Structures are given as structure tokens and as C-alpha cells.
Amino acid sequence: MKRLRARRTFAVTLLIIVSLAYLWLDHGLKTSFQPAAQISGTLLFCLLLGLAFFNARKKLPFLPLLKASTWMQIHIYVGYFAMLLCAIHAGFKIPTGGLDITVATLFAAVSLSGIFGLIISRSLPSRLTVHGETLTFERIPGLRKNLRSEVENMVVDSVESTGSSTIADFYEKQLSQFFGRPLHCGAHLLGSKKPLHQLIEKIDGLNRYLNEDERKIMAEITERVRSKDNLDFQWYGQGILKLWLFVHIPLTFGLLIFAAMHGLLAWKFT
């Protein structure tokens, strides 16, 4: 932990020094009538290429190009510097013109999606681990289907063994939809257990009216309810991590294309 704090302190300090140094350099270029915008734009495009290379590095883990964790730290702090460089390049003004606005919008989208990805990649994996058994994303729909089948078999058995439809009626009103599909996306992503606790309270309320055999069946169903809740948490948690990549990476390559067009036009007419 101390080593991690030391590395982050070093990285933040280096980022501040480099940022201040470039602000000083940019001011000097402008006061000496040098092409400051072309220099900052070229540097920014090179940084964007380097940031995009991080995805290629992840797909080639066998190459001796530093550890993936090191690349991630470089990616994060170079990304922060790129945000500042973009603001410097734009003169800290809102751009005008169709192409400039498109590039700025794409850059903002890439930056925001990157920050969002950083937040979820640091918070969700640990929560997925402590919440329950970590499951392969592709297995979750099948496991959810199996849970539903198990519970429905228990409900049918309860009617046959007890001659009462109380559990069957409760399942139809309260549990059928719950076991049918993933639910409570917002609560799971926020780490809230409120929907699960509310459902357990309803089950506890039902138990007062059940006989001993029915309570045993409901106890087994309750275990499946908790398992289904974990499946939903895993589904939404892993799903948003996967979905984020499908947003951030295409936006990045779209930005590179439009930034290249912007740069070529700028050099041509300067």
C-alpha cells in the first residue's frame, strides 16, 4: 500500500511539473510568434496514438513491453495531460466550425468515458469478489435459468405435498418476474441491497402463515433468491465493464480519424 501511494504521489507530481512546464513553453511560443497551436496539436495527436496503443498492448501480453499495470498507470496520467493539452490547443475556448466541434465533442466523450471506466474498473472488481462467487459472464444466463427451474419445481412439489397453493400464489405474484430476468440494475451498480431486503421481508411475512413443511420449502426458495440476487449483481457488474470497452474504444478510433483530418487541414492552410 505504501509503495502504491508513493508511485501515485510521484506520478501526480510529475504530471503537475510537466503540465506547468508545457504551459510555460506554450506561452513562450506564442509570445515569440511561433506556431504554438501546430506544435500542441501535433503533440496531442501523438499522445492519442500512444493512448490507443494501450489497447493493442493488452492484446499482445507476450511482448516484453512493461507490465499491463504499468501501462495502465501511464495511460491514466498521459490521458490527464492530454486533456490539459487539448484545452491549451483550443486556447481554453469553445471551438467553432463543424470539424473542430466534432473533434472536441469526440475528445470530451473519450475523456469522460475514460474517467468512467477508471472509476468502475477500480470499484467493481473488488465488489464482485466480496459479493459472492465470481462467475463467468457467459455462464450467468444458464445458471439463472437453472435456478428458475429449481424454484418452479419446488413450487409444484409444495402444492402436491401440502395441498396448499399459498407458496404457488406467492411465487406467481412476487417471484416469477424476479427469477425470469435480471432486475434492479441501478441498485446493484450502486451497491444497494434494498430490493433484496424488501423481498426477504415479504418472504418472512409469508412464513407466519405457513406450516412447518411449507417453511422448509420456503427456506430453500430463499436460498435461491439470494443466489439469483448474486447472479444479477455479477451480470450487471461484468456487463458494464464489457459494455464500457465497446464504447470507449470505438470513440477513441473515431477521434483519431477526425483529429487526423483536422491536423491535415490545419497544416495545409497554415
Side-chain angles (χ1 to χ4, degrees):
M1 185 62 71
K2 290 183 178 180
R3 179 180 292 182
L4 179 61
R5 285 203 198 100
R7 283 189 304 193
R8 286 182 177 174
T9 301
F10 172 77
V12 171
T13 303
L14 182 61
L15 174 64
I16 293 172
I17 293 173
V18 172
S19 298
L20 291 174
Y22 192 84
L23 283 169
W24 176 79
L25 174 63
D26 184 73
H27 176 73
L29 290 171
K30 289 176 180 177
T31 54
S32 60
F33 301 101
Q34 298 297 317
Q38 286 87 339
I39 293 173
S40 61
T42 301
L43 177 58
L44 180 58
F45 185 74
C46 291
L47 290 180
L48 292 177
L49 286 174
L51 291 169
F53 180 72
F54 174 68
N55 183 58
R57 166 64 182 85
K58 290 196 296 184
K59 295 182 183 300
L60 300 171
F62 55 87
L63 292 178
L65 299 173
L66 301 179
K67 295 187 298 184
S69 58
T70 303
W71 272 103
M72 173 60 82
Q73 292 303 307
I74 294 172
H75 186 85
I76 291 169
Y77 291 103
V78 171
Y80 288 146
F81 179 65
M83 293 179 199
L84 173 64
L85 194 58
C86 182
I88 294 172
H89 180 67
F92 295 95
K93 299 177 182 177
I94 297 176
T96 58
L99 183 57
D100 290 357
I101 292 174
T102 300
V103 173
T105 302
L106 283 170
F107 188 91
V110 170
S111 299
L112 291 174
S113 65
I115 293 171
F116 175 75
L118 176 62
I119 293 171
I120 63 172
S121 64
R122 285 187 170 174
S123 61
L124 278 178
S126 58
R127 287 170 53 198
L128 288 169
T129 301
V130 300
H131 191 275
E133 181 187 1
T134 302
L135 304 166
T136 305
F137 183 75
E138 290 73 18
R139 289 182 57 211
I140 294 176
L143 294 171
R144 184 169 59 241
K145 184 178 179 180
N146 291 341
L147 276 179
R148 181 176 184 178
S149 296
E150 289 178 10
V151 172
E152 288 180 346
N153 289 336
M154 291 178 190
V155 171
V156 173
D157 291 342
S158 75
V159 176
E160 294 176 350
S161 62
T162 66
S164 171
S165 65
T166 304
I167 293 178
D169 293 339
F170 181 83
Y171 174 81
E172 187 63 30
K173 292 179 181 178
Q174 303 293 342
L175 299 180
S176 178
Q177 185 181 19
F178 175 77
F179 281 100
R181 60 187 178 85
L183 291 176
H184 310 130
C185 174
H188 284 299
L189 294 179
L190 292 174
S192 172
K193 287 280 191 177
K194 184 176 180 180
L196 175 63
H197 291 160
Q198 289 175 336
L199 189 53
I200 297 298
E201 286 177 1
K202 292 178 181 178
I203 293 174
D204 291 340
L206 176 69
N207 280 328
R208 301 192 195 104
Y209 305 98
L210 301 179
N211 59 40
E212 185 175 348
D213 291 337
E214 288 174 320
R215 288 196 191 100
K216 290 180 180 178
I217 295 172
M218 280 307 301
E220 293 186 25
I221 292 176
T222 303
E223 290 181 10
R224 271 66 175 184
V225 167
R226 296 185 186 279
S227 297
K228 166 60 166 50
D229 180 74
N230 179 53
L231 286 181
D232 287 353
F233 182 82
Q234 298 283 340
W235 173 261
Y236 286 120
Q238 294 186 45
I240 197 168
L241 287 170
K242 291 178 180 290
L243 179 62
W244 166 71
L245 289 175
F246 282 106
V247 173
H248 186 64
I249 293 175
L251 282 175
T252 298
F253 285 101
L255 173 61
L256 286 173
I257 292 170
F258 281 94
M261 294 168 56
H262 168 79
L264 290 172
L265 289 174
W267 281 102
K268 182 177 181 180
F269 294 103
T270 299

PDB file of all heavy atoms in Angstrom, residues 197-221:
ATOM      1  N   HIS A 197     -33.562  -7.016   0.380  1.00  0.00           N
ATOM      2  CA  HIS A 197     -34.103  -6.996   1.735  1.00  0.00           C
ATOM      3  C   HIS A 197     -35.626  -6.878   1.722  1.00  0.00           C
ATOM      4  O   HIS A 197     -36.310  -7.511   2.546  1.00  0.00           O
ATOM      5  CB  HIS A 197     -33.492  -5.836   2.519  1.00  0.00           C
ATOM      6  CG  HIS A 197     -32.032  -6.026   2.811  1.00  0.00           C
ATOM      7  ND1 HIS A 197     -31.190  -4.979   3.144  1.00  0.00           N
ATOM      8  CD2 HIS A 197     -31.260  -7.138   2.804  1.00  0.00           C
ATOM      9  CE1 HIS A 197     -29.969  -5.449   3.333  1.00  0.00           C
ATOM     10  NE2 HIS A 197     -29.986  -6.749   3.132  1.00  0.00           N
ATOM     11  N   GLN A 198     -36.159  -6.089   0.786  1.00  0.00           N
ATOM     12  CA  GLN A 198     -37.610  -5.955   0.694  1.00  0.00           C
ATOM     13  C   GLN A 198     -38.262  -7.282   0.326  1.00  0.00           C
ATOM     14  O   GLN A 198     -39.317  -7.632   0.868  1.00  0.00           O
ATOM     15  CB  GLN A 198     -37.970  -4.882  -0.342  1.00  0.00           C
ATOM     16  CG  GLN A 198     -37.645  -3.471   0.108  1.00  0.00           C
ATOM     17  CD  GLN A 198     -37.903  -2.433  -0.980  1.00  0.00           C
ATOM     18  OE1 GLN A 198     -37.903  -2.754  -2.177  1.00  0.00           O
ATOM     19  NE2 GLN A 198     -38.122  -1.192  -0.577  1.00  0.00           N
ATOM     20  N   LEU A 199     -37.626  -8.008  -0.587  1.00  0.00           N
ATOM     21  CA  LEU A 199     -38.163  -9.305  -0.991  1.00  0.00           C
ATOM     22  C   LEU A 199     -38.079 -10.318   0.152  1.00  0.00           C
ATOM     23  O   LEU A 199     -39.019 -11.094   0.386  1.00  0.00           O
ATOM     24  CB  LEU A 199     -37.417  -9.816  -2.225  1.00  0.00           C
ATOM     25  CG  LEU A 199     -37.990 -11.057  -2.921  1.00  0.00           C
ATOM     26  CD1 LEU A 199     -39.456 -10.867  -3.263  1.00  0.00           C
ATOM     27  CD2 LEU A 199     -37.177 -11.371  -4.176  1.00  0.00           C
ATOM     28  N   ILE A 200     -36.961 -10.309   0.879  1.00  0.00           N
ATOM     29  CA  ILE A 200     -36.802 -11.215   2.027  1.00  0.00           C
ATOM     30  C   ILE A 200     -37.842 -10.894   3.101  1.00  0.00           C
ATOM     31  O   ILE A 200     -38.389 -11.804   3.749  1.00  0.00           O
ATOM     32  CB  ILE A 200     -35.384 -11.126   2.611  1.00  0.00           C
ATOM     33  CG1 ILE A 200     -34.344 -11.583   1.577  1.00  0.00           C
ATOM     34  CG2 ILE A 200     -35.270 -11.942   3.887  1.00  0.00           C
ATOM     35  CD1 ILE A 200     -34.479 -13.026   1.138  1.00  0.00           C
ATOM     36  N   GLU A 201     -38.143  -9.609   3.297  1.00  0.00           N
ATOM     37  CA  GLU A 201     -39.168  -9.218   4.276  1.00  0.00           C
ATOM     38  C   GLU A 201     -40.532  -9.772   3.888  1.00  0.00           C
ATOM     39  O   GLU A 201     -41.310 -10.210   4.752  1.00  0.00           O
ATOM     40  CB  GLU A 201     -39.233  -7.691   4.388  1.00  0.00           C
ATOM     41  CG  GLU A 201     -38.062  -7.079   5.146  1.00  0.00           C
ATOM     42  CD  GLU A 201     -38.126  -5.561   5.159  1.00  0.00           C
ATOM     43  OE1 GLU A 201     -39.097  -4.997   4.594  1.00  0.00           O
ATOM     44  OE2 GLU A 201     -37.209  -4.936   5.717  1.00  0.00           O
ATOM     45  N   LYS A 202     -40.838  -9.771   2.596  1.00  0.00           N
ATOM     46  CA  LYS A 202     -42.107 -10.342   2.138  1.00  0.00           C
ATOM     47  C   LYS A 202     -42.150 -11.846   2.390  1.00  0.00           C
ATOM     48  O   LYS A 202     -43.200 -12.395   2.767  1.00  0.00           O
ATOM     49  CB  LYS A 202     -42.309 -10.038   0.659  1.00  0.00           C
ATOM     50  CG  LYS A 202     -42.542  -8.570   0.348  1.00  0.00           C
ATOM     51  CD  LYS A 202     -42.687  -8.343  -1.147  1.00  0.00           C
ATOM     52  CE  LYS A 202     -42.898  -6.851  -1.447  1.00  0.00           C
ATOM     53  NZ  LYS A 202     -43.005  -6.585  -2.909  1.00  0.00           N
ATOM     54  N   ILE A 203     -41.004 -12.506   2.167  1.00  0.00           N
ATOM     55  CA  ILE A 203     -40.937 -13.944   2.438  1.00  0.00           C
ATOM     56  C   ILE A 203     -41.106 -14.214   3.929  1.00  0.00           C
ATOM     57  O   ILE A 203     -41.825 -15.140   4.335  1.00  0.00           O
ATOM     58  CB  ILE A 203     -39.601 -14.522   1.927  1.00  0.00           C
ATOM     59  CG1 ILE A 203     -39.545 -14.457   0.400  1.00  0.00           C
ATOM     60  CG2 ILE A 203     -39.419 -15.962   2.392  1.00  0.00           C
ATOM     61  CD1 ILE A 203     -38.210 -14.866  -0.200  1.00  0.00           C
ATOM     62  N   ASP A 204     -40.467 -13.394   4.773  1.00  0.00           N
ATOM     63  CA  ASP A 204     -40.610 -13.546   6.230  1.00  0.00           C
ATOM     64  C   ASP A 204     -42.059 -13.348   6.658  1.00  0.00           C
ATOM     65  O   ASP A 204     -42.561 -14.048   7.555  1.00  0.00           O
ATOM     66  CB  ASP A 204     -39.707 -12.554   6.959  1.00  0.00           C
ATOM     67  CG  ASP A 204     -38.222 -12.885   6.799  1.00  0.00           C
ATOM     68  OD1 ASP A 204     -37.915 -14.054   6.467  1.00  0.00           O
ATOM     69  OD2 ASP A 204     -37.392 -11.984   6.996  1.00  0.00           O
ATOM     70  N   GLY A 205     -42.726 -12.385   5.999  1.00  0.00           N
ATOM     71  CA  GLY A 205     -44.137 -12.155   6.312  1.00  0.00           C
ATOM     72  C   GLY A 205     -45.001 -13.344   5.933  1.00  0.00           C
ATOM     73  O   GLY A 205     -45.946 -13.698   6.660  1.00  0.00           O
ATOM     74  N   LEU A 206     -44.668 -13.977   4.799  1.00  0.00           N
ATOM     75  CA  LEU A 206     -45.418 -15.157   4.362  1.00  0.00           C
ATOM     76  C   LEU A 206     -45.216 -16.327   5.314  1.00  0.00           C
ATOM     77  O   LEU A 206     -46.151 -17.104   5.560  1.00  0.00           O
ATOM     78  CB  LEU A 206     -44.992 -15.547   2.945  1.00  0.00           C
ATOM     79  CG  LEU A 206     -45.618 -16.822   2.373  1.00  0.00           C
ATOM     80  CD1 LEU A 206     -47.108 -16.595   2.104  1.00  0.00           C
ATOM     81  CD2 LEU A 206     -44.908 -17.253   1.098  1.00  0.00           C
ATOM     82  N   ASN A 207     -44.008 -16.463   5.863  1.00  0.00           N
ATOM     83  CA  ASN A 207     -43.688 -17.613   6.716  1.00  0.00           C
ATOM     84  C   ASN A 207     -44.590 -17.722   7.943  1.00  0.00           C
ATOM     85  O   ASN A 207     -44.771 -18.815   8.497  1.00  0.00           O
ATOM     86  CB  ASN A 207     -42.221 -17.542   7.170  1.00  0.00           C
ATOM     87  CG  ASN A 207     -41.268 -18.032   6.089  1.00  0.00           C
ATOM     88  OD1 ASN A 207     -41.610 -18.912   5.303  1.00  0.00           O
ATOM     89  ND2 ASN A 207     -40.075 -17.463   6.050  1.00  0.00           N
ATOM     90  N   ARG A 208     -45.174 -16.602   8.366  1.00  0.00           N
ATOM     91  CA  ARG A 208     -46.058 -16.641   9.535  1.00  0.00           C
ATOM     92  C   ARG A 208     -47.306 -17.475   9.273  1.00  0.00           C
ATOM     93  O   ARG A 208     -47.935 -17.966  10.215  1.00  0.00           O
ATOM     94  CB  ARG A 208     -46.476 -15.212   9.917  1.00  0.00           C
ATOM     95  CG  ARG A 208     -45.319 -14.281  10.255  1.00  0.00           C
ATOM     96  CD  ARG A 208     -45.827 -13.008  10.905  1.00  0.00           C
ATOM     97  NE  ARG A 208     -44.801 -11.970  10.918  1.00  0.00           N
ATOM     98  CZ  ARG A 208     -44.777 -10.942  10.109  1.00  0.00           C
ATOM     99  NH1 ARG A 208     -45.723 -10.789   9.196  1.00  0.00           N
ATOM    100  NH2 ARG A 208     -43.815 -10.046  10.189  1.00  0.00           N
ATOM    101  N   TYR A 209     -47.676 -17.602   8.007  1.00  0.00           N
ATOM    102  CA  TYR A 209     -48.916 -18.291   7.666  1.00  0.00           C
ATOM    103  C   TYR A 209     -48.667 -19.694   7.117  1.00  0.00           C
ATOM    104  O   TYR A 209     -49.604 -20.352   6.655  1.00  0.00           O
ATOM    105  CB  TYR A 209     -49.690 -17.467   6.626  1.00  0.00           C
ATOM    106  CG  TYR A 209     -49.956 -16.056   7.071  1.00  0.00           C
ATOM    107  CD1 TYR A 209     -49.128 -15.010   6.650  1.00  0.00           C
ATOM    108  CD2 TYR A 209     -51.001 -15.762   7.938  1.00  0.00           C
ATOM    109  CE1 TYR A 209     -49.355 -13.710   7.077  1.00  0.00           C
ATOM    110  CE2 TYR A 209     -51.242 -14.459   8.365  1.00  0.00           C
ATOM    111  CZ  TYR A 209     -50.413 -13.442   7.928  1.00  0.00           C
ATOM    112  OH  TYR A 209     -50.642 -12.154   8.350  1.00  0.00           O
ATOM    113  N   LEU A 210     -47.428 -20.152   7.172  1.00  0.00           N
ATOM    114  CA  LEU A 210     -47.089 -21.467   6.625  1.00  0.00           C
ATOM    115  C   LEU A 210     -46.907 -22.491   7.735  1.00  0.00           C
ATOM    116  O   LEU A 210     -46.513 -22.143   8.857  1.00  0.00           O
ATOM    117  CB  LEU A 210     -45.794 -21.365   5.808  1.00  0.00           C
ATOM    118  CG  LEU A 210     -45.791 -20.383   4.626  1.00  0.00           C
ATOM    119  CD1 LEU A 210     -44.426 -20.406   3.946  1.00  0.00           C
ATOM    120  CD2 LEU A 210     -46.893 -20.700   3.625  1.00  0.00           C
ATOM    121  N   ASN A 211     -47.148 -23.730   7.384  1.00  0.00           N
ATOM    122  CA  ASN A 211     -46.859 -24.794   8.345  1.00  0.00           C
ATOM    123  C   ASN A 211     -45.381 -25.171   8.256  1.00  0.00           C
ATOM    124  O   ASN A 211     -44.641 -24.612   7.442  1.00  0.00           O
ATOM    125  CB  ASN A 211     -47.767 -26.012   8.111  1.00  0.00           C
ATOM    126  CG  ASN A 211     -47.597 -26.594   6.707  1.00  0.00           C
ATOM    127  OD1 ASN A 211     -46.484 -26.666   6.193  1.00  0.00           O
ATOM    128  ND2 ASN A 211     -48.695 -27.021   6.105  1.00  0.00           N
ATOM    129  N   GLU A 212     -44.960 -26.113   9.056  1.00  0.00           N
ATOM    130  CA  GLU A 212     -43.528 -26.432   9.139  1.00  0.00           C
ATOM    131  C   GLU A 212     -42.977 -26.938   7.816  1.00  0.00           C
ATOM    132  O   GLU A 212     -41.870 -26.547   7.403  1.00  0.00           O
ATOM    133  CB  GLU A 212     -43.301 -27.492  10.223  1.00  0.00           C
ATOM    134  CG  GLU A 212     -41.828 -27.788  10.465  1.00  0.00           C
ATOM    135  CD  GLU A 212     -41.613 -28.750  11.615  1.00  0.00           C
ATOM    136  OE1 GLU A 212     -42.581 -29.008  12.364  1.00  0.00           O
ATOM    137  OE2 GLU A 212     -40.473 -29.241  11.758  1.00  0.00           O
ATOM    138  N   ASP A 213     -43.721 -27.793   7.112  1.00  0.00           N
ATOM    139  CA  ASP A 213     -43.254 -28.321   5.827  1.00  0.00           C
ATOM    140  C   ASP A 213     -43.120 -27.205   4.786  1.00  0.00           C
ATOM    141  O   ASP A 213     -42.153 -27.179   4.008  1.00  0.00           O
ATOM    142  CB  ASP A 213     -44.222 -29.392   5.319  1.00  0.00           C
ATOM    143  CG  ASP A 213     -44.178 -30.664   6.161  1.00  0.00           C
ATOM    144  OD1 ASP A 213     -43.139 -30.876   6.822  1.00  0.00           O
ATOM    145  OD2 ASP A 213     -45.168 -31.411   6.155  1.00  0.00           O
ATOM    146  N   GLU A 214     -44.083 -26.298   4.792  1.00  0.00           N
ATOM    147  CA  GLU A 214     -44.042 -25.186   3.829  1.00  0.00           C
ATOM    148  C   GLU A 214     -42.879 -24.245   4.140  1.00  0.00           C
ATOM    149  O   GLU A 214     -42.249 -23.700   3.229  1.00  0.00           O
ATOM    150  CB  GLU A 214     -45.363 -24.429   3.859  1.00  0.00           C
ATOM    151  CG  GLU A 214     -46.523 -25.190   3.238  1.00  0.00           C
ATOM    152  CD  GLU A 214     -47.844 -24.480   3.410  1.00  0.00           C
ATOM    153  OE1 GLU A 214     -48.069 -23.919   4.518  1.00  0.00           O
ATOM    154  OE2 GLU A 214     -48.653 -24.459   2.464  1.00  0.00           O
ATOM    155  N   ARG A 215     -42.588 -24.050   5.422  1.00  0.00           N
ATOM    156  CA  ARG A 215     -41.456 -23.182   5.784  1.00  0.00           C
ATOM    157  C   ARG A 215     -40.141 -23.769   5.294  1.00  0.00           C
ATOM    158  O   ARG A 215     -39.234 -23.030   4.890  1.00  0.00           O
ATOM    159  CB  ARG A 215     -41.402 -22.992   7.299  1.00  0.00           C
ATOM    160  CG  ARG A 215     -42.501 -22.102   7.854  1.00  0.00           C
ATOM    161  CD  ARG A 215     -42.177 -21.645   9.263  1.00  0.00           C
ATOM    162  NE  ARG A 215     -43.329 -21.010   9.874  1.00  0.00           N
ATOM    163  CZ  ARG A 215     -44.146 -21.624  10.735  1.00  0.00           C
ATOM    164  NH1 ARG A 215     -43.914 -22.878  11.091  1.00  0.00           N
ATOM    165  NH2 ARG A 215     -45.176 -20.969  11.245  1.00  0.00           N
ATOM    166  N   LYS A 216     -40.005 -25.079   5.355  1.00  0.00           N
ATOM    167  CA  LYS A 216     -38.790 -25.717   4.851  1.00  0.00           C
ATOM    168  C   LYS A 216     -38.626 -25.468   3.358  1.00  0.00           C
ATOM    169  O   LYS A 216     -37.519 -25.188   2.869  1.00  0.00           O
ATOM    170  CB  LYS A 216     -38.826 -27.222   5.136  1.00  0.00           C
ATOM    171  CG  LYS A 216     -38.676 -27.577   6.606  1.00  0.00           C
ATOM    172  CD  LYS A 216     -38.733 -29.083   6.807  1.00  0.00           C
ATOM    173  CE  LYS A 216     -38.585 -29.437   8.286  1.00  0.00           C
ATOM    174  NZ  LYS A 216     -38.680 -30.905   8.498  1.00  0.00           N
ATOM    175  N   ILE A 217     -39.736 -25.563   2.640  1.00  0.00           N
ATOM    176  CA  ILE A 217     -39.686 -25.304   1.191  1.00  0.00           C
ATOM    177  C   ILE A 217     -39.321 -23.840   0.933  1.00  0.00           C
ATOM    178  O   ILE A 217     -38.479 -23.541   0.081  1.00  0.00           O
ATOM    179  CB  ILE A 217     -41.040 -25.646   0.539  1.00  0.00           C
ATOM    180  CG1 ILE A 217     -41.312 -27.158   0.652  1.00  0.00           C
ATOM    181  CG2 ILE A 217     -41.062 -25.202  -0.925  1.00  0.00           C
ATOM    182  CD1 ILE A 217     -42.693 -27.567   0.204  1.00  0.00           C
ATOM    183  N   MET A 218     -39.917 -22.933   1.694  1.00  0.00           N
ATOM    184  CA  MET A 218     -39.624 -21.510   1.506  1.00  0.00           C
ATOM    185  C   MET A 218     -38.184 -21.185   1.883  1.00  0.00           C
ATOM    186  O   MET A 218     -37.576 -20.279   1.309  1.00  0.00           O
ATOM    187  CB  MET A 218     -40.583 -20.644   2.327  1.00  0.00           C
ATOM    188  CG  MET A 218     -41.953 -20.460   1.690  1.00  0.00           C
ATOM    189  SD  MET A 218     -41.899 -19.868  -0.026  1.00  0.00           S
ATOM    190  CE  MET A 218     -41.020 -18.317   0.129  1.00  0.00           C
ATOM    191  N   ALA A 219     -37.626 -21.921   2.850  1.00  0.00           N
ATOM    192  CA  ALA A 219     -36.223 -21.693   3.220  1.00  0.00           C
ATOM    193  C   ALA A 219     -35.307 -22.033   2.041  1.00  0.00           C
ATOM    194  O   ALA A 219     -34.340 -21.304   1.757  1.00  0.00           O
ATOM    195  CB  ALA A 219     -35.851 -22.539   4.435  1.00  0.00           C
ATOM    196  N   GLU A 220     -35.628 -23.118   1.346  1.00  0.00           N
ATOM    197  CA  GLU A 220     -34.833 -23.488   0.163  1.00  0.00           C
ATOM    198  C   GLU A 220     -35.026 -22.472  -0.955  1.00  0.00           C
ATOM    199  O   GLU A 220     -34.073 -22.134  -1.668  1.00  0.00           O
ATOM    200  CB  GLU A 220     -35.235 -24.889  -0.302  1.00  0.00           C
ATOM    201  CG  GLU A 220     -34.860 -25.992   0.674  1.00  0.00           C
ATOM    202  CD  GLU A 220     -35.154 -27.374   0.116  1.00  0.00           C
ATOM    203  OE1 GLU A 220     -35.184 -27.520  -1.123  1.00  0.00           O
ATOM    204  OE2 GLU A 220     -35.351 -28.305   0.904  1.00  0.00           O
ATOM    205  N   ILE A 221     -36.255 -22.001  -1.119  1.00  0.00           N
ATOM    206  CA  ILE A 221     -36.516 -20.976  -2.140  1.00  0.00           C
ATOM    207  C   ILE A 221     -35.768 -19.693  -1.805  1.00  0.00           C
ATOM    208  O   ILE A 221     -35.216 -19.022  -2.691  1.00  0.00           O
ATOM    209  CB  ILE A 221     -38.032 -20.725  -2.266  1.00  0.00           C
ATOM    210  CG1 ILE A 221     -38.724 -21.950  -2.867  1.00  0.00           C
ATOM    211  CG2 ILE A 221     -38.306 -19.480  -3.125  1.00  0.00           C
ATOM    212  CD1 ILE A 221     -40.238 -21.848  -2.941  1.00  0.00           C
TER     213      ILE A 221
END
